[in-house]
Amino acid sequence: MPLLFQDRSGGYLRPLSRATIRRGLDVTLLASGLTDSAGDPLIFQPHDFRRIFITDSILNGLPPHIAQVIASHDHIGTTMGYAAIYPTDAIEAHRAFIARRRALRPADEYRTVTPEEWDALIVHATERPRLVEIRNHPHAHLGSRKGRLARRD
């Protein structure tokens, strides 16, 4: 497997030691003059760049399961923990997904929802948790007729 940080020594490519990478990072950050909100010099760990790479890759369209393989993670949750996904990013990605899906369907399938339909959806969404609660009750079958649940308020 190729190495990200390597040096040619004695005709061979060898990995740079962690100490060499750490020193190089410290010197570079100090020379940059970059500071945190308190005015202290920025401090990065080499591992921070792994997180930055994974986040940037996913935000720029790399599927998370591919990032998982690149990062050698056993579980996708580990990869997604690396990726700093912000609510606005999730919303934008979802909107882009919906736009791609809609492009595959006939345009007449999509229309503006009427106020009455929104009201019906809200009523349904607020009643559903109560219906689920009743269905999951151990004695729910006692209140049913013909296999359907009788609603009791």
Side-chain angles (χ1 to χ4, degrees), residues 25-44:
L25 187 55
D26 289 342
V27 167
T28 303
L29 281 170
L30 192 58
S32 74
L34 295 173
T35 59
D36 62 16
S37 58
D40 297 323
L42 279 183
I43 298 173
F44 276 102

Side-chain angles (χ1 to χ4, degrees), residues 50-105:
R50 182 176 169 96
R51 289 182 178 277
I52 292 167
F53 171 77
I54 296 295
T55 298
D56 192 54
S57 297
I58 291 173
L59 289 178
N60 284 291
L62 184 69
H65 68 281
I66 301 298
Q68 174 189 358
V69 171
I70 291 170
S72 299
H73 291 151
D74 290 334
H75 304 285
I76 191 70
T78 304
T79 306
M80 294 311 292
Y82 273 47
I85 307 297
Y86 303 100
T88 54
D89 298 322
I91 291 167
E92 289 172 21
H94 179 69
R95 285 182 176 157
F97 169 76
I98 294 298
R100 287 191 305 272
R101 295 288 295 172
R102 283 186 173 184
L104 301 173
R105 306 290 307 160

Side-chain angles (χ1 to χ4, degrees), residues 121-133:
L121 176 65
I122 290 170
V123 168
H124 172 74
T126 55
E127 287 182 355
R128 187 174 188 290
R130 176 73 179 128
L131 292 172
V132 169
E133 177 185 318

